[in-house]
Amino acid sequence: MSEPLDQEGRAALSDAGWAVGETQADKTFVFKNFVEAFGWMTSVAIVAEKLNHHPEWFNVYKTVKVTLTTHDTGGLSDLDLKLAKRMDALAG
Amino acid sequence: MSEPLDQEGRAALSDAGWAVGETQADKTFVFKNFVEAFGWMTSVAIVAEKLNHHPEWFNVYKTVKVTLTTHDTGGLSDLDLKLAKRMDALAG
Amino acid sequence: MSEPLDQEGRAALSDAGWAVGETQADKTFVFKNFVEAFGWMTSVAIVAEKLNHHPEWFNVYKTVKVTLTTHDTGGLSDLDLKLAKRMDALAG
Amino acid sequence: MSEPLDQEGRAALSDAGWAVGETQADKTFVFKNFVEAFGWMTSVAIVAEKLNHHPEWFNVYKTVKVTLTTHDTGGLSDLDLKLAKRMDALAG
């Protein structure tokens, strides 16, 4: 279902501030406070379930560290790019 | 605990786009989509519980209709103003 | 996409405690407190977006009044039954 | 504001399945699916903000790994015990 991410896709992630590794992309989001961080996480959770593609994420207070990867393809896929774009847009 | 809202407080609500009645204030928030509406609701829920002051709210898809009132004081109080300000800021 | 709900489906809703009208089904969920009510709403929100089918719902403190209807079919559909079943299971 | 956790408190955490270390307590919660995991996280988020005490937590799909610690006291405090109890009760 998911397609391995091509060079253009990897570049798009990188341009948007994601640390793009061999098999994953990482980004740390910092919000004003916990209230805003968790509101964002809720929006992202709704999107993720709809995509059937979930982040690995770590939260403490106003900080959320996200790792995206696709187990099916053993690395980054178009789903990671889609989810990343939604995360970035929702973080405003 | 909560103080009845004075004229200045009522004017502040009104200036911020709330329909201020005798005993309640109403506002309809419209978001881009359900994902953004519900993320906002989650942030507001966290704030409301912390204030020990909860909204009456109706949601369908991207629209949230809010009514604020304080049962203790039988009308609007400083808690309604506080919650309204947080709601407006989070919707910003 | 959605199919009008047949008699069997309407009976299933009714058996599960929904008030089944001509074009909608209603149910009031009461939780222990706001924290549990809103956690449930969040789970339901995630499910609803995935189904592309959203409830009309009103919340105040620990009470959530839900109305289900399908605008496409001008009444109840299989999507309402699906969402109702998930809501009931999550409240369980 | 927060008190260092005494032996009784540490034992209570341990009895409830938390791995109690020198300065932190850890527990992994596994739910049926992402929908239930994130609904629980939302309830916990509301509680945490009210306590002014937030977890460090990592989520992927239906699993949530939680670490509790109190920076003020440089270790476990009564707030960690309070939050742990609410987490356990909500996961019940």
Side-chain angles (χ1 to χ4, degrees):
Chain A
M1 226 140 66
S2 50
E3 299 288 323
L5 199 61
D6 58 18
Q7 281 310 315
E8 192 180 1
R10 296 173 65 89
L13 277 178
S14 186
D15 289 351
W18 291 76
V20 182
E22 197 64 43
T23 58
Q24 67 183 66
D26 299 282
K27 191 172 187 174
T28 298
F29 294 84
V30 182
F31 297 86
K32 255 197 291 188
N33 49 43
F34 180 71
V35 166
E36 299 205 3
F38 201 82
W40 176 81
M41 287 180 73
T42 302
S43 290
V44 171
I46 297 173
V47 168
E49 177 72 10
K50 196 173 187 181
L51 289 174
N52 272 320
H53 189 62
H54 302 83
E56 300 176 21
W57 47 4
F58 172 84
N59 162 247
V60 56
Y61 198 54
K62 65 181 179 178
T63 300
V64 189
K65 294 186 187 186
V66 179
T67 297
L68 300 179
T69 189
T70 303
H71 295 286
D72 288 355
T73 58
L76 288 165
S77 78
D78 58 326
L79 282 176
D80 295 307
L81 181 58
K82 258 188 211 170
L83 185 52
K85 280 182 177 173
R86 295 296 301 275
M87 283 182 159
D88 287 331
L90 287 164
Chain B
M1 227 140 65
S2 50
E3 298 289 323
L5 199 61
D6 59 18
Q7 282 309 316
E8 192 180 0
R10 296 173 66 90
L13 277 177
S14 186
D15 289 350
W18 291 78
V20 181
E22 196 65 43
T23 58
Q24 67 183 63
D26 299 281
K27 191 172 188 175
T28 298
F29 293 84
V30 182
F31 297 87
K32 254 199 291 190
N33 49 43
F34 180 71
V35 166
E36 301 204 3
F38 201 82
W40 176 81
M41 286 180 74
T42 301
S43 290
V44 171
I46 297 173
V47 168
E49 178 71 11
K50 197 173 187 180
L51 290 174
N52 271 321
H53 190 61
H54 302 82
E56 301 177 20
W57 48 4
F58 172 85
N59 162 246
V60 55
Y61 199 55
K62 65 180 179 179
T63 300
V64 189
K65 293 185 188 186
V66 179
T67 297
L68 301 179
T69 190
T70 303
H71 295 288
D72 288 354
T73 57
L76 288 165
S77 79
D78 59 326
L79 283 176
D80 295 306
L81 181 59
K82 259 189 211 169
L83 185 52
K85 280 182 176 172
R86 296 295 303 273
M87 284 182 159
D88 286 333
L90 287 163
Chain C
M1 225 140 67
S2 50
E3 298 288 323
L5 199 61
D6 59 18
Q7 281 309 315
E8 192 180 1
R10 297 173 66 89
L13 277 177
S14 186
D15 289 350
W18 290 78
V20 181
E22 196 66 43
T23 58
Q24 67 182 64
D26 300 281
K27 192 171 185 174
T28 298
F29 293 84
V30 182
F31 297 87
K32 253 197 292 190
N33 48 44
F34 180 70
V35 166
E36 299 205 2
F38 201 81
W40 175 80
M41 287 180 74
T42 302
S43 290
V44 171
I46 297 173
V47 168
E49 178 71 10
K50 197 172 187 182
L51 290 174
N52 271 320
H53 189 61
H54 302 82
E56 301 176 20
W57 47 5
F58 172 84
N59 162 246
V60 56
Y61 199 53
K62 64 181 180 178
T63 300
V64 188
K65 294 185 188 187
V66 180
T67 297
L68 301 178
T69 190
T70 303
H71 295 287
D72 288 355
T73 57
L76 288 164
S77 79
D78 58 326
L79 282 175
D80 295 306
L81 181 58
K82 259 189 212 170
L83 185 52
K85 281 182 177 174
R86 295 296 302 274
M87 284 182 159
D88 287 332
L90 287 163
Chain D
M1 227 142 62
S2 50
E3 298 289 323
L5 199 60
D6 58 18
Q7 281 310 315
E8 190 179 3
R10 296 173 65 89
L13 277 177
S14 187
D15 290 349
W18 290 78
V20 182
E22 197 63 45
T23 58
Q24 66 183 65
D26 299 281
K27 191 172 188 176
T28 298
F29 293 84
V30 182
F31 297 87
K32 254 197 291 191
N33 48 45
F34 180 71
V35 166
E36 301 204 2
F38 201 81
W40 176 81
M41 287 180 73
T42 302
S43 289
V44 171
I46 297 173
V47 168
E49 177 72 10
K50 196 173 188 180
L51 290 174
N52 271 319
H53 190 60
H54 302 83
E56 301 178 20
W57 48 3
F58 172 84
N59 162 247
V60 56
Y61 198 55
K62 65 181 179 179
T63 300
V64 189
K65 293 184 188 187
V66 179
T67 296
L68 301 180
T69 190
T70 303
H71 295 287
D72 288 356
T73 58
L76 288 165
S77 79
D78 58 326
L79 282 176
D80 295 307
L81 181 58
K82 257 189 213 170
L83 185 53
K85 281 182 177 172
R86 296 296 302 273
M87 284 182 159
D88 287 332
L90 288 163

